[in-house]
Amino acid sequence: MSKLLIVGTVAFDAIETPFGKTDKILGGAGTYIGLSASQFNVDSAVVSVVGDDFPQEYLDLLTKNNINIEGIEVVPGGKTFFWSGRYHNDLNSRDTLDTQLNVLADFKPVVPNEYKDAEIVMLGNLHPLVQLSVLEQLESPKLAILDTMNFWMDNALEDLMKVISKVDVITINDEEARQLSGEYSLAKAAKKIATMGPKYVVIKKGEHGALLFHEEQVFFAPALPLEEVFDPTGAGDTFAGGFAGYIAKTGDISFANMKNAIIYGSNLASFCVEKFGTERMVELSGEEVDSRLEEFKKLTQFEIALT
Amino acid sequence: MSKLLIVGTVAFDAIETPFGKTDKILGGAGTYIGLSASQFNVDSAVVSVVGDDFPQEYLDLLTKNNINIEGIEVVPGGKTFFWSGRYHNDLNSRDTLDTQLNVLADFKPVVPNEYKDAEIVMLGNLHPLVQLSVLEQLESPKLAILDTMNFWMDNALEDLMKVISKVDVITINDEEARQLSGEYSLAKAAKKIATMGPKYVVIKKGEHGALLFHEEQVFFAPALPLEEVFDPTGAGDTFAGGFAGYIAKTGDISFANMKNAIIYGSNLASFCVEKFGTERMVELSGEEVDSRLEEFKKLTQFEIALT
């Protein structure tokens, strides 16, 4: 087993979907990544920042899930990052209603001493310079995984390219892959992004699954066709957390093992969307994850003798 | 091996893509289905209609590919069905520039006597009453497969529901499944469509693959992530032809075998889009299909021991 260091927001979300709306609830990329990875009982820590308006019970929830929170700075008198969004009827797109950076605006991440030797680092979506700072505090990670989004391509491309050049794996969605590469074909986009640094390119297609590219190889993990999607918030981070958590648990960074890791990422993301916010993830059992893995096998595995 | 009876248009297409444009070339659902199924060396016949403007060389091409054309009526003085379309830059959507029904307007399909005992029938996209007429001329098909599209949902829903109620398998695309069922979730849509008749529901998602639903089971065939898509015309029909052809070849209508059939459908469709019109399909070798099957295995097959 390898140590997993996660950086990402720990925050408040307020969410509206066609099925209902929430007040401020626990959210943030760091939260979703941490909860997802915790399914593998790995030794993980989250580096983040909150204000002193952040409820102790949320921090306790992370601790209870075996996530080290020493690296979550609590700023006295500060207010926690807040995001609010409304999903459209198809749940595939959303409008951001409000974003309050608050304490995130001056966030200087500090990696706890006992995680500086973490072998696996998951850089959740944040300003690329924050991601870079975390990466630079680590001694010699075996695998650095970067998640990012179009906002940084639009607003901090130069810094983003710096961090992209230093990581082993990048996870982005299909539209972001197209924007970053200027290529419409995802196969071409992945090749171009690989020339920017990452040896492994994971392209997330939401309800259409995820692709893993490495040199001339490609692997596909479908999304489970669900009857009900309740709230997509955090699905991409849960996917990334499942990917990073499985790799940390196995300590194996081969392509063959990464295939399994994206299957687990899809597996865990399929739970995340079943309830509002982190609700489904905090109640999730290992038996449920195992049983869903069997569904993934039935969904994709076939036997053909050549004709 | 089972006999395969196909009904569908044999026609002229004129196509514009971002990569070029064609004059009138060979097209039509019956053509693509027939050429795709012919990869399995099955005993197949196409029922269709053309005008006497239709080149003998196109008919010879079908014959050369082991497709019986006795059921293709040539109307003296008649003009062949013509469709013209222009694809948008992403190749995912297109505008119809021209549709000339011509001889198709009065088409009364006649199934050749020696194919009335066909075990497998593939009803390609056409007016539902034409599809129904073909179905009624057959003695007792083991498996009836229906392809249709939104045009008939908009313009001949009652007739369409009649033919849907009589088939075993329906293949439609995701938007059409949503329209037909009134459900956004494809899992729910498939369940609702199954109550209309078909025991097997295949939902085609284009570049995002295809889903096969049967009772509580679901199987997914990805599309191959291609670097270049040249012309998507006929991909859906080629998929259906591969599905029907593989089932006719094996004579096995079990769910397990249908999984293999949609993998072959995706396999053949991945070639179809590589060149204009039928160009790639007529030059396609069995070795190429076998080799691409290996790519499909690498793309989707994984080994996970439960954690």
Side-chain angles (χ1 to χ4, degrees):
Chain A
M1 199 196 289
S2 308
K3 269 188 203 172
L4 171 64
L5 193 276
I6 297 158
V7 60
T9 52
V10 172
F12 291 126
D13 284 349
I15 303 161
E16 281 184 55
T17 80
F19 309 109
K21 58 186 288 186
T22 68
D23 287 328
K24 281 185 176 183
I25 57 172
L26 174 62
T31 303
Y32 282 102
I33 294 168
L35 288 174
S36 184
S38 77
Q39 280 294 326
F40 301 100
N41 296 313
V42 290
D43 182 1
S44 72
V46 170
V47 172
S48 195
V49 64
V50 294
D52 59 10
D53 60 344
F54 197 71
Q56 185 61 39
E57 61 167 296
Y58 286 168
L59 293 171
D60 292 346
L61 177 74
L62 298 179
T63 309
K64 210 187 76 187
N65 280 280
N66 206 23
I67 302 165
N68 184 304
I69 59 164
E70 222 184 304
I72 302 183
E73 183 191 353
V74 182
V75 178
K79 287 184 71 183
T80 301
F81 173 60
F82 171 68
W83 175 82
S84 166
R86 181 191 293 138
Y87 288 88
H88 301 162
N89 278 338
D90 65 4
L91 292 175
N92 275 326
S93 54
R94 67 187 186 192
D95 297 320
T96 289
L97 303 176
D98 195 5
T99 305
Q100 298 173 15
L101 280 185
N102 297 331
V103 293
L104 206 61
D106 301 310
F107 177 36
K108 299 275 175 293
V110 180
V111 175
N113 277 330
E114 58 173 311
Y115 286 90
K116 288 193 170 157
D117 62 352
E119 293 98 338
I120 312 295
V121 54
M122 176 72 232
L123 306 168
N125 175 46
L126 267 175
H127 194 295
L129 291 181
V130 172
Q131 296 176 316
L132 205 57
S133 161
V134 167
L135 201 51
E136 285 168 350
Q137 293 174 55
L138 296 178
E139 287 165 12
S140 59
K142 209 160 76 172
L143 196 77
I145 308 159
L146 174 77
D147 190 59
T148 187
M149 62 184 290
N150 50 359
F151 182 82
W152 309 115
M153 297 174 197
D154 295 333
N155 296 292
L157 185 60
E158 206 177 318
D159 297 329
L160 179 61
M161 293 308 286
K162 253 183 242 163
V163 65
I164 286 178
S165 77
K166 289 180 192 297
V167 298
D168 305 291
V169 184
I170 183 170
T171 73
I172 45 178
N173 77 28
D174 42 4
E175 284 320 306
E176 290 156 356
R178 288 175 173 136
Q179 179 174 347
L180 186 60
S181 65
E183 295 285 353
Y184 184 81
S185 148
L186 296 179
K188 278 193 178 172
K191 280 204 175 149
K192 205 149 168 185
I193 293 168
T195 67
M196 302 171 186
K199 291 181 290 294
Y200 302 87
V201 177
V202 176
I203 299 181
K204 300 176 286 183
K205 306 199 296 170
E207 61 166 329
H208 300 303
L211 288 159
L212 165 67
F213 294 90
H214 173 59
E215 292 168 357
E216 294 303 313
Q217 302 177 87
V218 53
F219 180 71
F220 176 76
L224 208 64
L226 295 169
E227 293 207 15
E228 305 277 6
V229 171
F230 200 75
D231 171 19
T233 309
D237 297 314
T238 300
F239 173 88
F243 179 83
Y246 183 76
I247 288 178
K249 179 199 160 80
T250 54
D252 174 354
I253 62 169
S254 68
F255 181 76
N257 197 54
M258 280 195 198
K259 299 200 296 189
N260 297 350
I262 74 163
I263 291 288
Y264 268 108
S266 283
N267 182 333
L268 288 160
S270 76
F271 287 107
C272 177
V273 302
E274 290 183 340
K275 292 195 175 177
F276 261 127
T278 59
E279 204 181 328
R280 188 68 179 93
M281 297 312 291
V282 299
E283 68 180 24
L284 187 58
S285 74
E287 290 71 32
E288 288 175 304
V289 177
D290 287 351
S291 152
R292 194 151 287 185
L293 178 61
E294 290 306 313
E295 290 186 59
F296 272 87
K297 286 185 183 169
K298 283 184 188 155
L299 185 64
T300 56
Q301 306 302 288
F302 62 87
E303 296 285 343
I304 298 184
L306 283 180
T307 54
Chain B
M1 198 195 290
S2 309
K3 270 187 202 172
L4 171 63
L5 192 277
I6 298 160
V7 61
T9 51
V10 172
F12 291 127
D13 284 348
I15 304 161
E16 281 185 56
T17 81
F19 308 109
K21 59 186 287 186
T22 68
D23 288 328
K24 280 185 177 185
I25 57 170
L26 174 63
T31 303
Y32 282 103
I33 294 169
L35 288 175
S36 183
S38 78
Q39 280 295 325
F40 302 100
N41 296 314
V42 289
D43 180 1
S44 71
V46 170
V47 172
S48 196
V49 64
V50 294
D52 59 10
D53 58 344
F54 197 71
Q56 185 62 38
E57 62 167 297
Y58 286 168
L59 292 171
D60 292 345
L61 177 75
L62 298 178
T63 308
K64 210 187 76 189
N65 279 279
N66 205 21
I67 301 164
N68 183 306
I69 60 165
E70 220 185 304
I72 303 183
E73 183 192 352
V74 182
V75 179
K79 287 185 71 184
T80 301
F81 174 60
F82 171 68
W83 174 82
S84 165
R86 181 190 294 137
Y87 288 88
H88 301 163
N89 277 339
D90 64 5
L91 292 177
N92 275 325
S93 52
R94 67 185 186 192
D95 297 321
T96 289
L97 302 176
D98 195 4
T99 305
Q100 299 172 13
L101 280 184
N102 297 333
V103 293
L104 205 60
D106 301 309
F107 177 37
K108 300 275 176 292
V110 178
V111 176
N113 277 331
E114 59 174 310
Y115 285 90
K116 288 193 171 158
D117 62 351
E119 292 97 338
I120 312 293
V121 54
M122 176 73 231
L123 306 168
N125 176 46
L126 268 175
H127 194 295
L129 291 182
V130 171
Q131 296 176 316
L132 206 56
S133 161
V134 166
L135 200 51
E136 285 168 351
Q137 293 174 55
L138 297 178
E139 287 164 11
S140 58
K142 209 159 77 171
L143 196 77
I145 308 159
L146 174 77
D147 191 56
T148 187
M149 63 184 291
N150 52 0
F151 182 82
W152 308 115
M153 296 174 199
D154 295 333
N155 297 293
L157 185 60
E158 207 178 318
D159 296 330
L160 179 61
M161 293 309 284
K162 253 182 244 164
V163 65
I164 286 179
S165 77
K166 291 180 190 299
V167 298
D168 305 292
V169 184
I170 184 171
T171 73
I172 46 179
N173 77 28
D174 42 3
E175 285 319 308
E176 290 157 354
R178 288 177 173 132
Q179 179 174 345
L180 187 60
S181 65
E183 295 285 351
Y184 184 80
S185 148
L186 297 180
K188 278 192 179 174
K191 279 203 176 151
K192 207 150 166 186
I193 293 168
T195 68
M196 301 171 187
K199 291 181 289 293
Y200 301 87
V201 178
V202 177
I203 299 180
K204 300 176 287 184
K205 306 198 299 168
E207 62 166 328
H208 300 302
L211 287 159
L212 165 67
F213 293 91
H214 174 58
E215 293 169 356
E216 294 304 313
Q217 301 176 88
V218 53
F219 181 71
F220 177 76
L224 208 65
L226 296 168
E227 293 206 14
E228 305 278 6
V229 171
F230 199 75
D231 171 18
T233 308
D237 298 314
T238 300
F239 173 87
F243 179 82
Y246 183 76
I247 289 179
K249 179 200 160 80
T250 55
D252 175 354
I253 62 169
S254 68
F255 181 76
N257 198 54
M258 281 195 198
K259 299 199 296 190
N260 297 352
I262 74 165
I263 292 288
Y264 269 107
S266 283
N267 181 333
L268 288 160
S270 76
F271 287 105
C272 177
V273 302
E274 290 182 341
K275 291 196 176 177
F276 262 125
T278 58
E279 202 181 329
R280 187 69 178 92
M281 296 311 291
V282 300
E283 68 180 24
L284 187 59
S285 75
E287 290 71 31
E288 288 176 304
V289 177
D290 288 350
S291 152
R292 193 151 288 185
L293 178 61
E294 290 306 312
E295 289 186 60
F296 273 87
K297 287 185 183 171
K298 283 184 190 155
L299 184 63
T300 57
Q301 306 302 288
F302 61 87
E303 297 284 343
I304 297 184
L306 283 180
T307 53

